[in-house]
Amino acid sequence: MENIERKRLAVLVGCNYPNTRNELHGCINDVLTMRDTLVSRFGFDPSDIQLLTDAAAADAGSGGSSSVLPTGANIKKALGEMVDQAKPGDVLYFHYSGHGTRIPSLKPGNPFRQDEAIVPCDFNLITDVDFRQLVNRLPKGASFTILSDSCHSGGLIDKEKEQIGPSHVTETSNKSSSISSKSSKPKAIPCETILHHLSSLTGINTSDIATHLLELFAADASLKFRLPPLEVLDLFESSKPDEGILLSGCQANETSADVTNAVMTGGKPCGAFSNAVQMVLKDHEVELSNKKFVLLARQVLKEQGFEQHPCLYCNDENADATFLSQSQE
């Protein structure tokens, strides 16, 4: 009975940052392709998929394209609404393709650590704290899968157990690269670049990125910058297994590639990880566990010559659960 009632909800975000020095080319293609895959392969209703891109609506494709820009506030609003309407047994999915960054940690006791964030089109960073808070709000029995095709994406849900990553899977470097550096670009914006951009808007002379974000975005800024440090710490205190599932395009210290002219996509720009995901799905009609799915994507990228290693972070049960499905009881 629960299987009949189960809903599948998705938020898809593609940021190409057009006409800027940070411009990418394959991110909108990534989420448009995934939208079609969610409907045809996984049974999502198109009306339950929200698409946010920084292209004009006419360029975002037909059939439910969205003119909602992927600003930090809009992305968090879409994700919050998705989580708030979720019920036990529902399957939630967030696919992000765009730039990532690393910022100095604000957590007590971690003065030298860096935390991961995604970079919306307005540079209003969405951090690991925001994703942790969303996962903590999930109703029991609902799952939330995040697939982030961005640089430094390996730590986007902090405190999630590493299933595949630098500590559990070691691989030698790819022996030869089939991808020219001229046809790919890392999907990363250094923190210094973000700081320079924000300070040019605020006119405030400080290297504290939180000051700029709070000045520009106030209540729409990340919880990392708005909450007192001890309240941030409280979000990460619970050690019980949760239903957050992170498939990252690379390890936290790596970059993910935006490919502008890849042979494997017929010259169509794409994210290397998003494209590997599509290749795995095409080559495997059977259902795949999250763990097997990520291992196969790693193999695809290795064979193509990319120096990035997708990771999986989730509890043990969800590692063996079917990608975009619930464990069968």
Side-chain angles (χ1 to χ4, degrees):
M1 194 171 190
E2 283 190 4
N3 287 339
I4 297 175
E5 299 295 330
R6 180 184 302 163
K7 292 192 72 173
R8 297 174 178 271
L9 310 168
V11 173
L12 312 179
V13 174
C15 293
N16 274 349
Y17 317 90
N19 305 313
T20 72
R21 67 178 61 187
N22 304 300
E23 185 168 13
L24 299 173
H25 297 89
C27 301
I28 293 174
N29 290 337
D30 291 341
V31 294
L32 291 175
T33 301
M34 181 52 83
R35 180 184 61 184
D36 295 340
T37 300
L38 292 178
V39 174
S40 63
R41 174 80 178 252
F42 294 102
F44 281 68
D45 187 315
S47 65
D48 290 327
I49 300 174
Q50 186 165 357
L51 179 70
L52 293 82
T53 75
D54 53 5
D59 297 329
S62 58
S65 64
S66 170
S67 59
V68 178
L69 282 174
T71 63
N74 286 343
I75 295 171
K76 286 187 289 188
K77 181 174 183 287
L79 291 174
E81 290 175 348
M82 180 171 69
V83 169
D84 288 343
Q85 69 174 292
K87 294 179 173 56
D90 286 354
V91 176
L92 280 57
Y93 180 65
F94 173 50
H95 190 124
Y96 171 74
S97 185
H99 279 302
T101 193
R102 302 182 91 180
I103 56 178
S105 176
L106 298 180
K107 299 189 188 78
N110 291 315
F112 302 110
R113 187 182 159 193
Q114 291 184 304
D115 291 329
E116 292 72 36
I118 62 173
V119 186
C121 66
D122 62 348
F123 280 48
N124 183 9
L125 303 181
I126 301 177
T127 71
D128 57 338
V129 174
D130 301 305
F131 288 113
R132 168 48 55 198
Q133 192 256 7
L134 286 166
V135 170
N136 287 356
R137 283 163 52 189
L138 277 179
K140 186 175 177 59
S143 68
F144 185 15
T145 299
I146 296 173
L147 191 153
S148 188
D149 189 350
S150 58
C151 292
H152 312 303
S153 47
L156 279 178
I157 311 182
D158 207 350
K159 298 300 181 184
E160 220 45 88
K161 181 178 179 180
E162 179 188 312
Q163 300 287 345
I164 300 172
S167 301
H168 288 78
V169 176
T170 57
E171 298 176 0
T172 56
S173 297
N174 301 332
K175 293 181 179 179
S176 62
S177 176
S178 61
I179 304 299
S180 166
S181 61
K182 293 182 179 179
S183 63
S184 67
K185 178 179 181 178
K187 301 166 84 168
I189 302 179
C191 182
E192 295 76 14
T193 301
I194 293 173
L195 185 61
H196 181 268
H197 173 73
L198 296 176
S199 60
S200 71
L201 298 176
T202 64
I204 299 173
N205 184 20
T206 177
S207 60
D208 177 31
I209 197 167
T211 298
H212 298 292
L213 289 167
L214 290 170
E215 174 70 17
L216 290 168
F217 303 110
D220 288 328
S222 169
L223 288 171
K224 180 187 290 287
F225 311 115
R226 292 192 289 115
L227 293 180
L230 290 179
E231 287 189 34
V232 171
L233 197 61
D234 286 343
L235 289 173
F236 296 88
E237 279 301 295
S238 174
S239 59
K240 65 181 179 62
D242 57 50
E243 300 304 320
I245 304 167
L246 171 64
L247 289 76
S248 66
C250 62
Q251 295 173 176
N253 64 338
E254 294 180 333
T255 59
S256 293
D258 179 61
V259 186
T260 55
N261 188 25
V263 174
M264 67 274 188
T265 59
K268 181 180 178 182
C270 63
F273 179 49
S274 292
N275 183 66
V277 164
Q278 294 297 329
M279 292 181 68
V280 169
L281 291 173
K282 285 182 181 178
D283 292 343
H284 298 82
E285 294 295 327
V286 298
E287 292 184 338
L288 298 168
S289 69
N290 286 307
K291 193 166 188 177
K292 182 66 173 176
F293 191 75
V294 173
L295 287 172
L296 288 170
R298 272 192 171 219
Q299 187 61 34
V300 168
L301 290 168
K302 183 177 181 181
E303 291 172 354
Q304 292 174 343
F306 288 102
E307 295 283 351
Q308 65 185 80
H309 301 86
C311 301
L312 174 65
Y313 296 84
C314 61
N315 65 40
D316 294 336
E317 183 179 358
N318 281 328
D320 295 325
T322 303
F323 176 64
L324 289 186
S325 182
Q326 293 293 99
S327 302
Q328 300 301 313
E329 301 279 331

